[in-house]
Amino acid sequence: MTDYEAAVAKKQASGPASGLAELPVPLYEHVKRRMAEAILLGEWPPGMVLPGEVALAAEYGVAVGTMRRALADLTADGMLMRRRKTGTIVTGRTPQHSLRFFFQYYRMHGPDGRLLTSEAEVRRLVIEPATSAEALLFGEAEGEPMLRIERVRRVDGRAVMRSRMALVARRLPNFPMEPAEVPQRLYIHLLDSYGIRISAVREQVSAGLAIDEDRAVLDLPDPAALLVIDEEAFDQAGALTIVGHHRTLADNHRYVNEVR
């Protein structure tokens, strides 16, 4: 079994590619995202030769033209390359944090440079009125209902980040209000369910000392240093969509920010 065949078998076991056409963004974008994630997650390793456009289109259940557009975009982004007489090859050049790929937005790496995958646990999920400061930031009326999400991220079982996020609830009808049902990848959920693409992120990064809640949730001594990240995420129209505050360990992690 080739690398590609093994990866396809894994994807088929996790569910079919059908149903993408019902989503509120161009179909080729979803195909591109799925292929990019296969590369970023290592399911398609560097040097792997992909099947032809017709075979790939059949595998993903889309038209050849749709697949051709997805392949062209990934080639332009450097994740794939075309080679005469060989075909389309995975390059291994993976911009892990590029928002173009709608990948998990988590920028922490280990000391060896490896991108750390994490799991998020929702600890608090409520709708509350916007504060005056939030209303000013979002351009909303004071008291506008805001969706507030508090999460803890774990890497290999260890709690490494505590986050608070606020979004305008009106933009997210039928958002799952059971903590266990909140998607792990919020950016992807915003795109798939609401057509909201996070296209730009502004961050302010500083050093800080752990407060009582940090020490309790992240199991830290007193005193302990943290990396503090204040985030503003904007959609494709430039509208502020998420205001986040993240407090994360930095003792065995590296924060990586790629600009492309």
Side-chain angles (χ1 to χ4, degrees):
M1 179 180 291
T2 66
D3 289 332
Y4 176 78
E5 290 170 337
V8 166
K10 181 177 179 181
K11 284 191 173 295
Q12 288 176 333
S14 64
S18 61
L20 292 177
E22 301 172 0
L23 301 174
V25 295
L27 183 57
Y28 79 88
E29 293 276 13
H30 292 276
V31 175
K32 175 184 172 183
R33 188 196 77 202
R34 292 187 59 169
M35 297 176 75
E37 288 190 1
I39 296 170
L40 291 163
L41 293 171
E43 296 173 6
W44 293 4
M48 187 177 80
V49 179
L50 300 184
E53 293 175 349
V54 174
L56 281 170
E59 173 59 37
Y60 280 82
V62 299
V64 173
T66 299
M67 178 56 65
R68 184 174 297 131
R69 174 65 186 273
L71 290 170
D73 279 10
L74 291 172
T75 300
D77 289 324
M79 299 181 78
L80 299 176
M81 66 179 295
R82 304 290 183 98
R83 184 177 296 168
R84 290 185 62 186
K85 299 183 179 180
T86 301
T88 303
I89 303 170
V90 177
T91 65
R93 295 194 296 272
T94 55
Q96 293 155 323
H97 306 298
S98 174
L99 295 175
R100 293 191 302 276
F101 302 117
F102 321 120
F103 192 56
Q104 180 175 356
Y105 184 71
Y106 183 71
R107 297 174 181 255
M108 303 306 290
H109 289 234
D112 59 358
R114 176 178 58 92
L115 176 67
L116 298 175
T117 57
S118 65
E119 294 185 354
E121 173 196 353
V122 176
R123 298 172 63 89
R124 184 172 182 262
L125 179 65
V126 296
I127 294 179
E128 294 178 339
T131 65
S132 56
E134 287 174 331
L136 183 62
L137 273 175
F138 282 94
E140 299 284 348
E142 189 169 344
E144 175 72 24
M146 303 294 296
L147 176 67
R148 303 191 192 282
I149 306 173
E150 296 186 11
R151 300 197 296 190
V152 173
R153 285 198 174 275
R154 290 184 171 83
V155 173
D156 296 330
R158 182 190 182 192
V160 300
M161 176 184 283
R162 189 168 69 85
S163 299
R164 298 196 311 266
M165 291 171 285
L167 304 90
V168 177
R170 184 185 69 252
R171 299 187 67 188
L172 311 172
N174 302 315
F175 189 90
M177 293 304 295
E178 290 295 327
E181 296 177 2
V182 176
Q184 287 280 317
R185 299 178 183 178
L186 183 58
Y187 280 21
I188 293 177
H189 180 68
L190 293 179
L191 176 69
D192 286 350
S193 297
Y194 307 108
I196 298 173
R197 180 205 309 274
I198 299 300
S199 299
V201 176
R202 177 187 299 140
E203 296 175 325
Q204 297 184 50
V205 181
S206 60
L209 289 175
I211 60 177
D212 288 345
E213 189 171 358
D214 296 328
R215 290 192 290 272
V217 174
L218 303 179
D219 191 23
L220 297 174
D222 184 13
L226 288 176
L227 193 65
V228 180
I229 305 168
D230 288 298
E231 165 200 358
E232 295 179 358
F234 301 84
D235 68 10
Q236 62 268 42
L240 181 62
T241 302
I242 303 172
V243 171
H245 179 76
H246 313 281
R247 304 174 68 83
T248 183
L249 304 184
D251 57 342
N252 199 36
H253 303 86
R254 303 293 182 268
Y255 179 82
V256 178
N257 188 358
E258 295 182 4
V259 179
R260 290 177 179 258

